[in-house]
Amino acid sequence: MDDIQPPGRLVTLTDVARAAGVGESTVSRVLRNHGSYSKRAGERVAEAVARLGYVPNRVAGSLAGQGANARLVGVVIPSLANVVFPDLLRGLTAALDAEGIPCVIGVSDYDPDREEALAAALLSWRPAALLLTGLEHNPGTVALARAGGVRVIEMIDTDGDGIDTVVGFSNRAVGAASARHLVARGYRRIAYLGHDLRVDLRAGKRLAGFEVALGEAGLALHGQEIRTGPSSPASGRAGLEALLARVPDLDAVYFSNDDMALGGYFACLSAGLAVPERIALFGFNGLDFAAAMPQPLSTVRTPRLEIGRQAAACLTGEGPKKIDLGFELIEGATA
């Protein structure tokens, strides 16, 4: 991985000075907030910085000339609370460690503004590559990534256009396959239970694919429960209890992930509801505990480790690409 190829030219301080119509020394003073410059000059520099996606080079003057930054990869993930992202990082770091490439990791907590700030901070160290999660970002994050002069790899989603390189699977296809499985098993009164779709956009894509496939079968969602806060077994349990209190005749529930589905399973045990005879449960992610449940969870297994490995492999090469690694539907015993 020695010949890492950036997708575009790095935006420099000279570019900012030219766009702002001021000298490079003025740009430097504005960025350091040190020395004298006019208010108008400061505004023009700030506008040029935002428009061009320029980030200061923290390496200059300290590590410049040592090549240390060329052996660094920046990664932004949305969470460490869900095992999905640690699994992805295990695949990524194992591949990078084999090449002697360290990575710096930032956690956005599903906050697009925080993701943008983390991307800017990582790019200021002039890494060899920037790895982001998903395809939806703030315009500022996209501008930074395009102007950073490094390879940009977006992971876990292929439903949309990437900045540079995309590695993952189709969340819409996952949702559609999940719906078709439930319909083929004879379930008709199907509901969705998940967490905030404004936060987890990939869950929203899965739900959209799920509803399209239901529509193809002449069906629609029979109920829906969206929980606030992060996904968890506790949220899944409370959510299913609330959903059944409102829509008691459900015969199947599609969960946003396995954590929520596990909580739903606990709710069924507590209420004495037979699974899947009284109500079927279907999850997403194919986590290890799902297979270890008394009734193995029906779910979709995603290639998290392989996504990490492939993302590392994509650090070399030229031009944008999209790698769809697919997924595996696990029939399990709950649906």
Side-chain angles (χ1 to χ4, degrees):
M1 296 186 181
D2 291 331
D3 300 319
I4 296 175
Q5 303 290 331
R9 187 179 70 82
L10 176 69
V11 175
T12 66
L13 186 142
T14 301
D15 296 323
V16 174
R18 185 180 298 115
V22 300
E24 292 182 28
S25 60
T26 299
V27 174
S28 180
R29 288 195 297 272
V30 172
L31 294 178
R32 290 185 292 114
N33 194 26
H34 180 74
S36 61
Y37 55 86
S38 69
K39 179 180 179 182
R40 177 57 180 155
E43 291 172 346
R44 291 167 68 176
V45 169
E47 187 279 331
V49 166
R51 177 163 50 85
L52 297 177
Y54 173 77
V55 290
N57 186 354
R58 292 175 185 261
V59 178
S62 59
L63 296 178
Q66 299 180 28
N69 58 321
R71 306 297 294 176
L72 176 69
V73 169
V75 184
V76 183
I77 58 173
S79 173
L80 285 173
N82 189 320
V83 72
V84 168
F85 300 107
D87 278 352
L88 185 152
L89 291 175
R90 284 199 297 123
L92 173 68
T93 56
L96 293 178
D97 287 348
E99 300 291 336
I101 301 175
C103 67
V104 178
I105 301 164
V107 181
S108 69
D109 292 323
Y110 287 98
D111 182 341
D113 293 334
R114 179 166 172 76
E115 180 190 56
E116 181 176 346
L118 288 168
L122 291 169
L123 286 169
S124 72
W125 290 99
R126 298 297 186 262
L130 176 66
L131 279 63
L132 302 172
T133 306
L135 300 175
E136 285 73 37
H137 317 283
N138 279 353
T141 304
V142 175
L144 288 167
R146 292 189 186 281
V150 303
R151 181 156 300 286
V152 179
I153 301 169
E154 293 161 290
M155 304 175 290
I156 299 189
D157 192 8
T158 61
D159 296 316
D161 296 325
I163 297 169
D164 175 21
T165 300
V166 175
V167 182
F169 55 88
S170 169
N171 283 273
R172 289 194 178 97
V174 166
S178 304
R180 293 184 186 117
H181 172 81
L182 292 174
V183 170
R185 291 298 178 93
Y187 302 109
R188 295 296 181 268
R189 300 183 303 279
I190 306 170
Y192 174 80
L193 199 165
H195 52 294
D196 194 342
L197 298 174
R198 296 169 301 175
V199 173
D200 190 344
L201 300 179
R202 290 175 295 283
K205 291 181 180 182
R206 292 193 296 277
L207 177 57
F210 190 86
E211 292 189 276
V212 168
L214 285 184
E216 292 170 349
L219 301 172
L221 282 179
H222 199 62
Q224 181 170 299
E225 176 74 14
I226 302 298
R227 309 296 292 179
T228 58
S231 65
S232 67
S235 180
R237 176 172 179 170
L240 185 57
E241 291 169 348
L243 186 58
L244 287 173
R246 194 171 65 251
V247 193
D249 64 338
L250 295 176
D251 62 10
V253 178
Y254 177 47
F255 292 83
S256 62
N257 58 39
D258 290 351
D259 290 338
M260 300 286 277
L262 177 63
Y265 187 74
F266 290 154
C268 291
L269 290 179
S270 178
L273 301 177
V275 177
E277 293 81 9
R278 166 60 182 84
I279 188 166
L281 311 176
F282 197 95
F284 167 74
N285 271 326
L287 302 183
D288 290 344
F289 73 73
M293 289 168 56
Q295 293 172 266
L297 182 66
S298 302
T299 185
V300 165
R301 179 180 295 133
T302 55
R304 301 176 296 278
L305 288 170
E306 187 59 25
I307 290 173
R309 296 188 190 104
Q310 287 290 332
C314 287
L315 295 183
T316 59
E318 297 182 359
K321 63 180 71 174
K322 181 178 289 189
I323 301 174
D324 191 331
L325 297 173
F327 54 86
E328 180 184 3
L329 193 146
I330 308 297
E331 292 189 359
T334 62

